[in-house]
């Protein structure tokens, strides 16, 4: 009876078994692919997004971390390493760069960061005043790229202290590393060569610096000093923390705020011929918004009288003497070091020797580290032990400037001359622009 029923319905039974087999197989594949895409939180390790990818960069026990400047290495259930780079934008939103496998060369856009660098150990954001965040990196030339209490000054605070941010709570990783407030800040000037200087400094083993510009003393002051400290990479004894945010030099409130945090802060300013600097600034804006007025139309109030528009940011930033006056109300000249933007290109080792001396560092960065690579005429950093092409700044550095009528350049040079002379006098150094 049973046997005859089996034979009568064997094709139906066969069909049902095959069908459920397929359903189970499909469910298994779906579950496994979902699991592989989600990193296990208890296995997640966050590292600071910094050049030297060693354990000193690891986030500390119970640390609360803001997404800015971090790279997340999550391990999926299939032991595949997943990388995330989370960038916090000005409006508070985050943009996430995601790299699926260790073997993937390219970062995928997952948010609104636009560039996809292919070297995850070399990512940083140069957040120019009038620009969206720009993910930048050193790469081969042929690739297109609050009040704060004074006693908190230079506090070497253990990173176990909790900040106010509550983005991620992380597992224990490293006991003895600390995050320090900076001892030196590259405060300006925009388009002077600040990124090159910071990247050159970062090759020094006793210097640690965050890649992105923290903008603490101008835009993020309300977040408090704990936030600021958290933006810094972990350091071990003997290492100095440095940051760069070029807009500090021209922001009225900043000198007092830095003074309130640390009156012994070392301040570095990279200066460049203000006329070239203005053109460079304009070039940057133009590269973002090609519909803007011409340089000449912006530089002069009226093209016939050729009266310089001193309200235009690109012009204002170059009046270095005026800005410096404000800083000198708080800090003595001995706490400043001025780097020639021009010499940083023509003689990087010479300029870096002076910077190392000013910072009290061993003379480690020398001409052995630099290499003129490609056709752009900018120094690049040699990679260690002949491991491939040198590291050059990305394409947003060293842009081709638009043609500007020599008469316009002359008019601007005349405008800046008295301010330049005053500046030379104030700092006791002639930069040779006039
Ligand atoms: P241009 O793009 O006008 O040439 P900042 O990093 O402060 O925004 O400065 C950008 C400027 O750094 C560039 O301006 C470029 O001239 C200068 N610079 C200095 N050293 C450089 C280097 N090694 N590679 C590329 N640009 C460099």
């Amino acid at each position: 009876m049973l046997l005859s029923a089996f034979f009568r319905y064997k094709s139906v039974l066969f069909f049902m078994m095959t069908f459920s087999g397929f359903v189970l197989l499909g469910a298994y594949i779906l579950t496994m692919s979902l699991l592989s895409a989600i990193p296990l939180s208890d296995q997640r390790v966050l590292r600071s997004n910094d050049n030297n990818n060693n354990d000193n960069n690891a986030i500390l026990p119970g640390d609360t971390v803001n997404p800015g400047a971090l790279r997340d290495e999550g391990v999926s259930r299939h032991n595949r390493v997943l990388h995330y780079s989370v960038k916090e934008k000005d409006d508070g939103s985050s943009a996430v760069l995601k790299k699926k496998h260790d073997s993937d060369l390219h970062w995928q856009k997952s948010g609104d960061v636009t560039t996809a660098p292919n070297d995850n150990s070399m990512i940083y954001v140069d957040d120019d005043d009038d620009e969206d965040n720009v993910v930048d990196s050193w790469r081969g030339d042929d690739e297109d790229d609050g009040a704060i209490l004074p006693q908190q000054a230079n506090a070497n605070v253990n990173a176990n202290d909790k900040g106010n941010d509550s983005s991620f709570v992380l597992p224990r990783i490293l006991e003895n590393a600390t995050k320090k407030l900076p001892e030196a800040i590259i405060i300006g000037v925009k388009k002077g060569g600040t990124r090159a200087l910071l990247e050159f400094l970062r090759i020094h083993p006793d210097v640690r610096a965050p890649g992105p510009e923290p903008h603490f003393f101008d835009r993020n002051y309300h977040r408090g000093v704990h936030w600021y400290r958290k933006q810094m990479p972990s350091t071990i004894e003997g290492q100095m923390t440095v940051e760069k945010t070029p807009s500090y030099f021209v922001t009225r409130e900043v000198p007092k705020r830095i003074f309130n945090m640390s009156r012994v802060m070392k301040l570095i300013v990279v200066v460049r011929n203000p006329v070239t600097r203005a053109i460079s600034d304009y070039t940057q804006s133009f590269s973002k918004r090609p519909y803007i007025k011409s340089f000449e139309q912006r530089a002069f109030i009226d093209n016939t009288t050729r009266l310089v528009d001193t309200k235009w940011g690109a012009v204002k930033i170059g009046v270095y003497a005026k800005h410096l006056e404000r800083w000198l109300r708080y800090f003595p000249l001995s706490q400043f070091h001025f780097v020639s933007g021009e010499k940083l290109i023509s003689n990087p080792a010479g300029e870096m020797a002076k910077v190392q001396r000013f910072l009290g560092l061993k003379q480690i960065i020398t001409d052995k580290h630099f290499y003129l690579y490609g056709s752009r005429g900018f120094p690049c950093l040699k990679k260690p032990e002949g491991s491939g092409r040198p590291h050059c700044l990305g394409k947003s550095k060293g842009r081709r400037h638009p043609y500007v009528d020599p008469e316009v350049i002359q008019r601007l040079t005349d405008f800046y001359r008295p301010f330049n002379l005053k500046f030379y006098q104030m700092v006791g150094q002639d930069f040779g622009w006039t």
Side-chain angles (χ1 to χ4, degrees):
M1 171 87 172
L2 263 173
L3 215 59
S4 69
F6 172 78
F7 280 116
R8 186 178 300 168
Y9 298 110
K10 75 172 186 235
S11 52
V12 177
L13 277 170
F14 181 73
F15 170 77
M16 284 171 67
M17 283 167 72
T18 315
F19 180 73
S20 42
F22 274 121
V23 170
L24 282 170
L25 187 67
Y28 174 78
I29 290 170
L30 189 68
T31 312
M32 292 320 279
S33 54
L34 277 174
L35 288 175
S36 70
I38 304 166
L40 286 177
S41 55
D42 58 355
Q43 287 180 300
R44 199 165 69 184
V45 175
L46 282 181
R47 291 174 195 282
S48 104
N49 183 9
D50 215 313
N51 268 0
N52 306 323
N53 192 14
N54 57 33
D55 271 344
N56 295 329
N57 287 333
I59 305 307
L60 295 162
D63 220 347
T64 307
V65 175
N66 188 285
L70 291 174
R71 182 162 65 84
D72 185 350
E73 276 181 357
V75 183
S76 79
R77 285 181 201 268
H78 293 312
N79 288 330
R80 283 190 334 201
V81 178
L82 304 170
H83 295 296
Y84 297 87
S85 179
V86 187
K87 304 289 176 197
E88 191 173 80
K89 299 189 75 194
D90 283 349
D91 60 6
S93 67
S94 291
V96 182
L97 285 170
K98 189 166 75 180
K99 193 169 102 167
K100 274 193 184 147
H101 304 261
D102 245 349
S103 55
D104 286 352
L105 279 178
H106 293 284
W107 289 77
Q108 297 174 346
K109 181 178 131 176
S110 166
D112 36 22
V113 172
T114 48
T115 312
N118 63 4
D119 181 350
N120 64 9
S121 65
M122 292 284 184
I123 299 171
Y124 45 77
V125 175
D126 234 5
D127 187 8
D128 295 305
D129 279 346
D130 61 345
E131 285 199 319
D132 298 325
N133 286 351
V134 176
V135 177
D136 212 338
S137 69
W138 286 91
R139 48 179 70 197
D141 216 17
D142 53 345
E143 288 176 30
D144 271 276
D145 63 42
I148 294 160
L149 303 171
Q151 56 266 38
Q152 286 172 316
N154 290 335
N156 189 342
V157 195
N158 190 297
N160 283 336
D161 293 347
K162 292 262 194 304
N164 294 327
D165 312 309
S166 56
S167 308
F168 304 109
V169 179
L170 298 163
R172 303 179 68 81
I173 297 179
L174 203 68
E175 300 285 351
N176 60 348
T178 54
K179 284 178 171 232
K180 287 189 297 189
L181 291 169
E183 283 167 66
I185 308 180
I186 301 168
I187 54 172
V189 298
K190 183 187 177 193
K191 306 317 292 177
T194 56
R195 176 52 69 187
L197 174 63
L198 186 75
E199 293 310 310
F200 295 167
L201 256 182
R202 272 154 67 113
I203 62 177
H204 198 293
D206 298 339
V207 173
R208 302 300 318 277
E213 296 169 4
H215 279 279
F216 173 61
F217 296 102
D218 55 351
R219 299 180 194 165
N220 292 306
Y221 200 54
H222 61 281
R223 293 177 190 249
V225 75
H226 286 291
W227 178 90
Y228 187 41
R229 180 176 48 78
K230 299 252 182 215
Q231 310 313 303
M232 301 301 140
S234 301
T235 44
I236 53 170
E237 218 185 303
Q239 284 184 323
M240 164 184 268
T241 305
V242 179
E243 71 116 321
K244 82 119 177 161
T245 305
S247 49
Y248 290 164
F249 188 61
V250 297
T251 309
R252 192 163 290 277
E253 302 78 25
V254 172
K256 185 179 183 183
R257 288 176 176 179
I258 295 184
F259 180 80
N260 282 344
M261 188 185 86
S262 169
R263 53 193 67 193
V264 294
M265 185 69 78
K266 293 182 171 164
L267 304 161
I268 302 177
V269 197
V270 190
V271 286
R272 180 184 188 185
N273 183 330
V275 182
T276 331
R277 200 221 64 83
I279 299 172
S280 173
D281 208 335
Y282 172 82
T283 308
Q284 179 174 287
S285 306
F286 184 79
S287 73
K288 288 260 155 194
R289 298 180 292 274
Y291 47 83
I292 60 175
K293 290 180 181 170
S294 70
F295 180 79
E296 288 84 339
Q297 284 171 310
R298 293 303 314 269
F300 303 121
I301 292 171
D302 161 27
N303 218 2
T304 35
T305 58
R306 293 254 155 117
L307 210 64
V308 174
D309 185 354
T310 54
K311 289 207 173 76
W312 184 34
V315 166
K316 245 171 37 182
I317 292 173
V319 188
Y320 305 143
K322 286 258 175 233
H323 303 296
L324 184 60
E325 258 169 16
R326 254 186 290 114
W327 285 87
L328 291 175
R329 287 185 212 140
Y330 294 90
F331 297 96
L333 193 63
S334 57
Q335 272 171 244
F336 290 85
H337 179 73
F338 299 91
V339 174
S340 157
E342 286 83 10
K343 288 190 188 153
L344 194 62
I345 297 170
S346 64
N347 179 16
E351 277 315 283
M352 292 313 293
K354 291 187 245 174
V355 173
Q356 290 171 97
R357 202 174 309 129
F358 171 71
L359 293 177
L361 293 164
K362 277 188 233 142
Q363 294 286 340
I364 285 179
I365 309 161
T366 63
D367 50 8
K368 289 199 296 250
H369 291 93
F370 300 101
Y371 190 85
L372 216 56
Y373 182 81
S375 54
R376 296 196 301 167
F378 293 105
C380 300
L381 284 173
K382 276 184 195 163
K383 273 193 174 174
E385 280 106 58
S387 53
R389 290 173 309 174
H391 284 310
C392 301
L393 279 185
K395 66 167 186 170
S396 68
K397 305 295 173 186
R399 289 184 179 109
R400 197 183 298 278
H401 294 179
Y403 173 81
V404 179
D405 187 332
E407 274 183 37
V408 170
I409 293 179
Q410 190 55 52
R411 174 72 197 96
L412 282 170
T413 304
D414 294 342
F415 163 79
Y416 280 119
R417 186 170 298 110
F419 298 111
N420 287 344
L421 292 173
K422 172 97 188 286
F423 179 66
Y424 300 167
Q425 219 175 32
M426 290 168 86
V427 305
Q429 219 176 313
D430 184 340
F431 291 91
W433 306 316
T434 45

